[in-house]
Amino acid sequence: MIRIVIADDHKIVTDGLRLLMQKELDADVIGVAENGLRAFDMVMRLQPDLLLTDLEMDGLDGLELVKKIRETNSATRIMVLSMHNDLHYVNKVLREGANGYLHKNADASILIEGIKRLIDGNQYIDPKISKKMLESYLKGENATDSRKYNLTKRELEIIKLLSQGHNSKKIGELLHISHHTIDSHRKNIHVKLGVKSTPELIRLAMEQQLISK
């Protein structure tokens, strides 16, 4: 069973999320916090599998909450739910250690899919926001940083698809090449960027503007 803590200062939101988690997932909402400080205390005490958190809260906002949790080396996966869809905010929360980012207007099915991806150890970003990343990439806004790391066009495509939560098998299907080839590309990407994991890769790619502004 997935153990979840929800952090949001609107009771109607937390009540709705609790019902959704219980109905659609094998989940137990073990804590609900109305502010960031209480959410941090709950995560430290309860060590949930997943934290669903808003960005704008009293006391300690979502960005600082993510940063503070990651400083403790907690294994709790973090999904940020926000009304902001600007890539600037996405970049910030991923850089601080969030594992996923969804707009609050996203369909419930997308939230459920995102949570499943996070629990499986993947990254997940709202598809509409991922589209903005792709548009940014296609406009050539990331050329300077991609050249700095000597990344190929194929490697940038793979980074983009990884940021959307796809695994090697799915990326292989989308690009019409074997997943073994994708795994080889991923190893090369890790070496070029000096990272050891996919979440670290995505955070660096966002920070260095490889897939977004």
Side-chain angles (χ1 to χ4, degrees):
M1 179 174 287
I2 304 171
R3 300 166 67 251
I4 299 175
V5 165
I6 301 172
D8 195 293
D9 56 2
H10 294 90
K11 190 173 187 300
I12 191 169
V13 173
T14 56
D15 286 349
L17 287 172
R18 182 195 290 270
L19 290 174
L20 182 65
M21 298 301 99
Q22 293 172 342
K23 179 180 178 182
E24 301 294 336
L25 289 170
D26 182 20
D28 180 15
V29 178
I30 59 175
V32 175
E34 69 279 3
N35 61 60
L37 289 173
R38 183 163 173 75
F40 178 74
D41 177 65
M42 285 185 177
V43 171
M44 292 301 98
R45 287 189 297 104
L46 304 175
Q47 291 298 311
D49 301 305
L50 176 72
L51 168 67
L52 294 176
T53 182
D54 189 13
L55 273 185
E56 298 179 350
M57 296 181 291
D58 292 334
L60 190 70
D61 65 28
L63 181 63
E64 288 299 318
L65 173 61
V66 172
K67 182 178 180 180
K68 195 173 177 66
I69 290 172
R70 286 296 171 247
E71 287 175 348
T72 70
N73 294 316
S74 170
T76 296
R77 309 288 287 171
I78 303 174
M79 172 73 83
V80 170
L81 304 176
S82 174
M83 289 303 297
H84 297 291
N85 63 359
D86 191 290
L87 298 184
H88 175 70
Y89 288 97
V90 183
N91 183 18
K92 276 190 172 183
V93 296
L94 292 178
R95 185 173 63 231
E96 295 298 350
N99 306 105
Y101 192 105
L102 281 180
H103 194 274
K104 280 190 172 181
N105 285 338
D107 291 341
S109 60
I110 293 178
L111 173 58
I112 297 302
E113 175 65 19
I115 290 174
K116 289 178 179 178
R117 295 280 186 90
L118 262 62
I119 294 300
D120 286 341
N122 299 307
Q123 198 97 349
Y124 191 81
I125 300 174
D126 190 304
K128 291 183 179 179
I129 296 175
S130 293
K131 182 180 178 181
K132 290 183 68 175
M133 294 178 186
L134 174 58
E135 291 170 348
S136 174
Y137 163 68
L138 291 176
K139 288 177 182 177
E141 296 172 356
N142 309 298
T144 299
D145 286 307
S146 63
R147 285 198 297 268
K148 179 173 71 176
Y149 289 103
N150 196 30
L151 293 166
T152 66
K153 182 178 179 180
R154 177 66 83 195
E155 287 168 345
L156 286 169
E157 288 177 327
I158 291 171
I159 292 173
K160 173 177 66 67
L161 291 169
L162 287 170
S163 76
Q164 296 173 7
H166 298 303
N167 58 27
S168 292
K169 182 178 179 181
K170 182 62 177 179
I171 293 173
E173 293 173 357
L174 293 171
L175 298 181
H176 306 293
I177 54 181
S178 76
H179 72 272
H180 296 295
T181 301
I182 298 298
D183 285 336
S184 179
H185 280 304
R186 291 178 67 172
K187 289 179 182 178
N188 290 335
I189 292 169
H190 280 214
V191 171
K192 288 182 178 182
L193 298 184
V195 298
K196 296 181 180 180
S197 67
T198 299
E200 186 181 2
L201 163 63
I202 301 305
R203 287 196 296 272
L204 180 62
M206 296 288 289
E207 182 178 359
Q208 295 299 312
Q209 301 181 10
L210 300 178
I211 52 176
S212 74
K213 295 174 65 176

